[in-house]
Amino acid sequence: MQKRLHKVVFPVAGLGTRFLPATKVVAKEMLPVLDRPLIQYAVDEAVDAGADTLVFVTNRYKHAIADYFDKAYELEAKLAESGKDALLELVRGTLPRGVRCVFVTQPEALGLGHAVLCARPVVGDEPFGVILPDDLIWTGKGAGALRQMAELSAQEDAGVIAVEEVPPEDTHKYGIVDATPISDRAAKIRLVVEKPKPAVAPSNLAIVGRYVLPGRIFELLEKTTPGAGGEIQLTDAIEMLLAEHPVLAYRFEGTRFDCGNKLGLVKATLHMALNDAQIGAATRELVNAAAKR
Ligand code: UTP
């Protein structure tokens, strides 16, 4: 597969029930970690991997994501007039030049697999990336997680799925892979088991929100029947893909924050605050004072 991933899909049509009531009107992906919404971290990671076409699979309530990446004429004019160049850069920098956004609607929340399938008319047959923005992966100054995966995918001519070791008692929350190691960080997947109880889990390597997939996955998704919870599961289509195409599990370099739940969002915010040039020291004092109480 090619090293550069031109197209990256962001399935963002979920209901975000764990953040109700905020998500009645605020898309989960627009929740900020410090001063940037989750979707911005995801888009930056896609661009770092070479993407020039960002495909957002949204629902009819999520106009904010399109607005956020659109040009803000009035605001930009005001900032320019008042010479606030740094802020102007910040506002203009949400989407780098040469990168385009395409919005596709998922008419009903029929599952992650179905959401990915909705992107088919835009992606076509080529390999593409998938990022779930609520899994924020922090890599500091190093290559983003998706770039690491795109490089491996090109090198091995294989699909690549991000995995992370989870505590054995948590296997029932994730898709778990059974895989044969081929290097320090990569393993060839034999089997994927959706949310197994710890006693029957083949490993503690859990699938997290990054994928590099061949275009063929769309045909397999078409054939996928609704599984757990009546949803079309991406893992079911990946299971079929295993029979015809190598798929690697990859332990990325970086730290993942599961911002799909409250504690994860707090952890990510704290991490970014502690590493922030302006408020890092004050945050550290705050945390130390709280620890002494
Ligand atoms: P989640 O399982 O986190 O569901 O979806 P959710 O609706 O976003 O949040 P909760 O659990 O109700 O709080 C994982 C990813 O798949 C997308 C979501 O937007 C999220 O990025 N998704 C899920 C869709 O795009 N469509 C679906 O039908 C389901």
Side-chain angles (χ1 to χ4, degrees):
M1 283 203 229
Q2 73 226 25
K3 194 164 175 180
R4 182 175 166 179
L5 279 179
H6 285 280
K7 293 175 183 166
V8 173
V9 176
F10 304 88
V12 290
L15 301 176
T17 53
R18 282 170 287 175
F19 284 103
L20 281 170
T23 41
K24 261 176 89 181
V25 289
V26 182
K28 177 171 70 171
E29 299 73 23
M30 291 307 296
L31 294 175
V33 172
L34 232 49
D35 48 3
R36 292 162 9 114
L38 279 171
I39 195 73
Q40 182 74 63
Y41 293 93
V43 161
D44 290 351
E45 187 182 327
V47 171
D48 172 69
D52 54 22
T53 303
L54 312 177
V55 189
F56 298 89
V57 181
T58 66
N59 64 35
R60 61 187 158 283
Y61 304 110
K62 297 209 173 172
H63 300 293
I65 297 176
D67 292 346
Y68 178 78
F69 289 109
D70 207 351
K71 202 167 161 58
Y73 287 103
E74 251 184 83
L75 176 63
E76 289 184 23
K78 285 238 162 69
L79 293 174
E81 251 169 51
S82 47
K84 295 189 169 154
D85 295 341
L87 287 179
L88 186 60
E89 265 318 288
L90 214 60
V91 170
R92 285 189 176 153
T94 53
L95 193 68
R97 265 174 206 283
V99 177
R100 64 178 176 153
C101 296
V102 182
F103 294 87
V104 179
T105 306
Q106 184 187 24
E108 248 186 290
L110 295 178
L112 175 61
H114 181 257
V116 171
L117 183 56
C118 290
R120 185 179 194 180
V122 183
V123 175
D125 300 334
E126 59 186 282
F128 64 102
V130 177
I131 293 185
L132 306 190
D134 46 11
D135 268 336
L136 193 165
I137 301 182
W138 189 78
T139 52
K141 290 193 168 56
L146 194 67
R147 169 144 58 112
Q148 299 171 32
M149 293 167 64
E151 285 172 1
L152 178 66
S153 168
Q155 195 183 307
E156 300 291 333
D157 194 18
V160 179
I161 298 177
V163 294
E164 187 176 77
E165 280 172 25
V166 295
E169 63 273 19
D170 283 350
T171 55
H172 66 285
K173 298 179 187 164
Y174 296 91
I176 299 290
V177 302
D178 182 4
T180 313
I182 61 163
S183 69
D184 256 10
R185 293 192 172 273
K188 187 163 185 278
I189 301 180
R190 279 194 299 252
L191 192 73
V192 186
V193 187
E194 194 53 50
K195 302 189 169 76
K197 296 212 170 82
V200 291
S203 74
N204 65 338
L205 284 180
I207 296 178
V208 300
R210 301 292 183 278
Y211 307 79
V212 177
L213 296 168
R216 168 79 177 137
I217 197 78
F218 292 123
E219 284 161 50
L220 300 174
L221 279 168
E222 293 275 13
K223 291 187 201 158
T224 305
T225 46
E231 297 194 333
I232 295 186
Q233 305 285 350
L234 182 57
T235 40
D236 287 347
I238 290 172
E239 183 81 63
M240 286 191 254
L241 183 65
L242 292 176
E244 47 182 83
H245 195 87
V247 183
L248 304 178
Y250 175 68
R251 289 190 304 112
F252 52 88
E253 279 181 68
T255 309
R256 178 182 76 104
F257 297 98
D258 178 0
C259 297
N261 68 73
K262 291 177 211 170
L263 186 61
L265 187 70
V266 170
K267 282 185 188 168
T269 305
L270 199 54
H271 176 90
M272 295 300 173
L274 287 167
N275 284 285
D276 187 84
Q278 279 158 12
I279 63 164
T283 308
R284 187 151 290 114
E285 277 176 31
L286 195 72
V287 172
N288 289 341
K292 282 186 200 138
R293 253 182 246 139

Coordinates of all heavy atoms in Angstrom, one line a residue, residues 222-269:
E222 N -20.5 -4.2 3.0 CA -21.8 -4.4 2.4 C -22.4 -5.7 2.8 O -23.6 -5.8 2.9 CB -21.6 -4.3 0.8 CG -21.2 -3.0 0.3 CD -22.4 -2.0 0.0 OE1 -23.5 -2.3 0.5 OE2 -22.2 -1.0 -0.7
K223 N -21.5 -6.7 2.9 CA -22.0 -8.1 3.2 C -22.2 -8.3 4.7 O -22.7 -9.3 5.1 CB -20.9 -9.1 2.8 CG -20.7 -9.2 1.3 CD -19.8 -10.3 1.0 CE -19.2 -10.2 -0.4 NZ -17.9 -10.9 -0.6
T224 N -21.7 -7.3 5.5 CA -21.8 -7.5 7.0 C -23.2 -7.4 7.5 O -23.9 -6.4 7.2 CB -20.9 -6.5 7.7 OG1 -19.6 -6.7 7.1 CG2 -20.8 -6.8 9.2
T225 N -23.7 -8.3 8.2 CA -25.1 -8.2 8.8 C -24.9 -7.6 10.2 O -23.9 -7.7 10.9 CB -25.7 -9.6 8.9 OG1 -24.8 -10.5 9.4 CG2 -26.1 -10.1 7.5
P226 N -26.0 -7.0 10.7 CA -25.9 -6.4 12.0 C -25.5 -7.4 13.1 O -26.0 -8.5 13.1 CB -27.3 -5.9 12.2 CG -27.9 -5.7 10.9 CD -27.3 -6.8 10.0
G227 N -24.6 -7.0 13.9 CA -24.1 -7.9 15.0 C -24.6 -7.4 16.4 O -25.8 -7.0 16.5
A228 N -23.7 -7.3 17.3 CA -24.0 -6.9 18.7 C -24.8 -5.6 18.7 O -24.4 -4.6 18.0 CB -22.7 -6.8 19.5
G229 N -25.9 -5.5 19.4 CA -26.7 -4.3 19.5 C -27.4 -3.8 18.2 O -27.7 -2.7 18.1
G230 N -27.5 -4.8 17.2 CA -28.1 -4.4 16.0 C -27.3 -3.5 15.1 O -27.8 -2.9 14.1
E231 N -26.0 -3.3 15.5 CA -25.1 -2.4 14.7 C -24.3 -3.2 13.7 O -23.9 -4.4 13.9 CB -24.2 -1.7 15.7 CG -25.0 -0.8 16.7 CD -24.1 0.2 17.4 OE1 -22.9 -0.1 17.6 OE2 -24.6 1.3 17.8
I232 N -23.9 -2.5 12.6 CA -22.9 -3.1 11.7 C -21.5 -2.8 12.2 O -21.1 -1.6 12.3 CB -23.2 -2.5 10.3 CG1 -24.6 -3.0 9.8 CG2 -22.1 -3.0 9.3 CD1 -24.9 -2.7 8.4
Q233 N -20.8 -3.9 12.6 CA -19.6 -3.7 13.3 C -18.4 -3.7 12.3 O -18.3 -4.6 11.4 CB -19.4 -4.9 14.3 CG -20.5 -5.1 15.3 CD -20.4 -4.0 16.4 OE1 -19.5 -3.3 16.5 NE2 -21.5 -4.0 17.2
L234 N -17.5 -2.8 12.5 CA -16.3 -2.8 11.6 C -15.5 -4.0 11.8 O -14.9 -4.6 10.9 CB -15.5 -1.5 11.9 CG -14.2 -1.2 11.1 CD1 -14.5 -1.2 9.6 CD2 -13.5 0.1 11.5
T235 N -15.4 -4.5 13.1 CA -14.6 -5.7 13.3 C -15.1 -6.9 12.6 O -14.3 -7.8 12.2 CB -14.5 -6.0 14.9 OG1 -15.7 -5.8 15.4 CG2 -13.5 -5.2 15.5
D236 N -16.4 -7.0 12.3 CA -16.9 -8.2 11.6 C -16.4 -8.1 10.2 O -16.0 -9.2 9.6 CB -18.4 -8.1 11.6 CG -19.0 -8.5 12.9 OD1 -18.3 -9.0 13.8 OD2 -20.2 -8.3 13.1
A237 N -16.3 -7.0 9.6 CA -15.8 -6.9 8.2 C -14.3 -7.1 8.2 O -13.7 -7.8 7.3 CB -16.1 -5.5 7.6
I238 N -13.6 -6.7 9.2 CA -12.1 -6.9 9.3 C -11.9 -8.4 9.5 O -10.9 -9.0 8.9 CB -11.5 -6.1 10.5 CG1 -11.5 -4.6 10.2 CG2 -10.1 -6.6 10.8 CD1 -11.2 -3.7 11.3
E239 N -12.7 -9.1 10.2 CA -12.6 -10.6 10.4 C -12.7 -11.2 9.0 O -11.9 -12.1 8.7 CB -13.9 -11.0 11.2 CG -13.9 -12.4 11.6 CD -13.1 -12.7 12.8 OE1 -13.3 -12.2 13.8 OE2 -12.1 -13.5 12.6
M240 N -13.6 -10.8 8.1 CA -13.6 -11.3 6.8 C -12.4 -11.0 6.0 O -11.9 -11.8 5.2 CB -14.9 -10.8 6.0 CG -16.2 -11.3 6.5 SD -17.5 -10.8 5.4 CE -18.3 -9.6 6.3
L241 N -11.9 -9.8 6.2 CA -10.7 -9.3 5.4 C -9.5 -10.2 5.7 O -8.7 -10.4 4.8 CB -10.4 -7.8 5.8 CG -9.3 -7.2 5.1 CD1 -9.6 -7.0 3.6 CD2 -9.0 -5.8 5.7
L242 N -9.4 -10.7 7.0 CA -8.3 -11.5 7.4 C -8.1 -12.7 6.5 O -6.9 -13.2 6.3 CB -8.5 -12.0 8.8 CG -8.4 -11.0 9.9 CD1 -8.7 -11.6 11.3 CD2 -7.1 -10.3 10.0
A243 N -9.1 -13.2 5.9 CA -9.1 -14.4 5.1 C -8.4 -14.1 3.7 O -7.9 -15.1 3.1 CB -10.5 -15.0 4.8
E244 N -8.3 -12.9 3.3 CA -7.8 -12.6 2.0 C -6.7 -11.6 2.0 O -6.1 -11.4 0.9 CB -9.0 -12.1 1.1 CG -9.8 -11.1 1.7 CD -11.0 -10.7 0.8 OE1 -12.0 -11.4 0.8 OE2 -10.8 -9.6 0.1
H245 N -6.4 -10.9 3.1 CA -5.4 -9.8 3.1 C -4.7 -9.8 4.4 O -5.4 -9.9 5.4 CB -6.2 -8.5 2.8 CG -5.4 -7.4 2.4 ND1 -5.0 -7.1 1.1 CD2 -4.8 -6.4 3.2 CE1 -4.3 -6.1 1.1 NE2 -4.1 -5.6 2.3
P246 N -3.4 -9.6 4.5 CA -2.7 -9.5 5.8 C -3.2 -8.2 6.5 O -3.3 -7.2 5.9 CB -1.3 -9.5 5.5 CG -1.1 -9.2 4.1 CD -2.4 -9.5 3.4
V247 N -3.5 -8.4 7.8 CA -3.8 -7.2 8.7 C -2.9 -7.3 9.9 O -2.9 -8.3 10.6 CB -5.3 -7.2 9.1 CG1 -5.6 -6.0 9.9 CG2 -6.2 -7.3 7.8
L248 N -2.3 -6.2 10.2 CA -1.3 -6.2 11.3 C -1.9 -5.4 12.5 O -2.6 -4.4 12.3 CB 0.0 -5.5 10.9 CG 0.7 -6.1 9.7 CD1 2.0 -5.3 9.4 CD2 1.0 -7.6 10.0
A249 N -1.6 -5.9 13.7 CA -1.9 -5.2 14.9 C -0.7 -4.4 15.2 O 0.4 -4.9 15.2 CB -2.3 -6.1 16.0
Y250 N -0.8 -3.1 15.5 CA 0.4 -2.3 15.8 C 0.3 -1.6 17.1 O -0.7 -0.8 17.3 CB 0.5 -1.3 14.6 CG 1.6 -0.3 14.8 CD1 2.9 -0.7 14.8 CD2 1.4 1.0 15.0 CE1 4.0 0.2 15.0 CE2 2.4 2.0 15.2 CZ 3.7 1.5 15.2 OH 4.7 2.4 15.4
R251 N 1.3 -1.8 17.9 CA 1.3 -1.0 19.2 C 2.0 0.3 19.0 O 3.3 0.3 18.9 CB 2.1 -1.8 20.3 CG 1.3 -3.1 20.8 CD 1.9 -3.7 22.0 NE 3.3 -4.1 21.8 CZ 4.3 -3.6 22.4 NH1 4.2 -2.6 23.3 NH2 5.5 -4.0 22.1
F252 N 1.3 1.3 18.8 CA 1.8 2.6 18.4 C 2.7 3.2 19.5 O 2.6 2.9 20.7 CB 0.7 3.6 18.1 CG -0.3 3.7 19.2 CD1 -0.2 4.6 20.2 CD2 -1.4 2.8 19.2 CE1 -1.1 4.6 21.3 CE2 -2.3 2.9 20.2 CZ -2.2 3.8 21.3
E253 N 3.6 4.1 19.1 CA 4.4 4.9 20.1 C 3.5 6.1 20.4 O 3.2 6.9 19.5 CB 5.7 5.4 19.5 CG 6.7 4.3 19.5 CD 8.0 4.8 18.9 OE1 8.7 5.6 19.6 OE2 8.4 4.3 17.8
G254 N 3.2 6.3 21.7 CA 2.4 7.5 22.1 C 1.5 7.1 23.3 O 1.5 5.9 23.7
T255 N 0.8 8.1 23.7 CA -0.1 7.8 24.9 C -1.6 8.1 24.4 O -1.9 9.1 23.9 CB 0.2 8.8 26.0 OG1 1.6 8.8 26.3 CG2 -0.6 8.5 27.3
R256 N -2.4 7.1 24.7 CA -3.8 7.3 24.3 C -4.7 7.7 25.5 O -4.5 7.3 26.6 CB -4.4 5.9 23.8 CG -5.9 6.0 23.4 CD -6.4 4.7 23.0 NE -6.6 3.8 24.1 CZ -7.8 3.5 24.6 NH1 -8.9 4.0 24.1 NH2 -7.9 2.7 25.6
F257 N -5.5 8.7 25.2 CA -6.5 9.1 26.2 C -7.9 8.8 25.6 O -8.2 9.2 24.5 CB -6.4 10.6 26.4 CG -5.1 11.0 27.0 CD1 -4.1 11.5 26.2 CD2 -4.9 10.9 28.4 CE1 -2.9 11.9 26.7 CE2 -3.6 11.2 28.9 CZ -2.6 11.7 28.1
D258 N -8.7 8.0 26.3 CA -10.0 7.7 25.9 C -11.0 8.8 26.3 O -11.5 8.8 27.4 CB -10.5 6.4 26.5 CG -11.9 6.0 26.1 OD1 -12.5 6.8 25.3 OD2 -12.4 5.0 26.5
C259 N -11.1 9.8 25.4 CA -11.9 11.0 25.7 C -13.4 10.7 25.4 O -14.2 11.7 25.4 CB -11.4 12.2 24.9 SG -9.7 12.6 25.4
G260 N -13.8 9.5 25.2 CA -15.2 9.2 25.1 C -15.9 9.0 26.4 O -17.1 8.8 26.5
N261 N -15.1 9.1 27.5 CA -15.7 9.1 28.8 C -15.2 10.3 29.7 O -14.1 10.8 29.3 CB -15.6 7.8 29.5 CG -14.1 7.5 29.9 OD1 -13.6 8.1 30.8 ND2 -13.5 6.6 29.1
K262 N -15.8 10.6 30.7 CA -15.5 11.8 31.5 C -14.1 11.7 32.1 O -13.3 12.7 31.9 CB -16.5 12.0 32.6 CG -17.9 12.4 32.2 CD -18.8 12.5 33.4 CE -20.2 12.1 32.9 NZ -21.1 12.0 34.0
L263 N -13.7 10.6 32.7 CA -12.4 10.5 33.3 C -11.3 10.7 32.3 O -10.3 11.4 32.5 CB -12.3 9.2 34.1 CG -11.0 9.1 34.9 CD1 -10.9 10.2 36.0 CD2 -10.9 7.7 35.6
G264 N -11.5 10.0 31.1 CA -10.5 10.1 30.1 C -10.3 11.5 29.6 O -9.2 12.0 29.3
L265 N -11.4 12.3 29.5 CA -11.3 13.7 29.0 C -10.6 14.5 30.0 O -9.7 15.4 29.7 CB -12.7 14.2 28.7 CG -12.7 15.6 28.1 CD1 -12.3 15.5 26.6 CD2 -14.2 16.2 28.1
V266 N -10.8 14.2 31.3 CA -10.1 15.0 32.4 C -8.6 14.6 32.3 O -7.8 15.5 32.4 CB -10.7 14.6 33.8 CG1 -9.8 15.1 34.9 CG2 -12.1 15.1 33.9
K267 N -8.3 13.4 32.2 CA -6.9 13.0 32.1 C -6.1 13.7 30.9 O -5.0 14.2 31.1 CB -6.7 11.5 31.9 CG -7.0 10.6 33.2 CD -6.7 9.2 32.8 CE -7.1 8.3 34.0 NZ -7.1 6.9 33.6
A268 N -6.8 13.7 29.8 CA -6.2 14.4 28.6 C -6.0 15.8 28.9 O -5.0 16.4 28.6 CB -7.1 14.1 27.4
T269 N -7.0 16.5 29.5 CA -6.9 17.9 29.7 C -5.8 18.2 30.7 O -5.0 19.1 30.5 CB -8.3 18.4 30.3 OG1 -9.3 18.0 29.4 CG2 -8.3 19.9 30.5

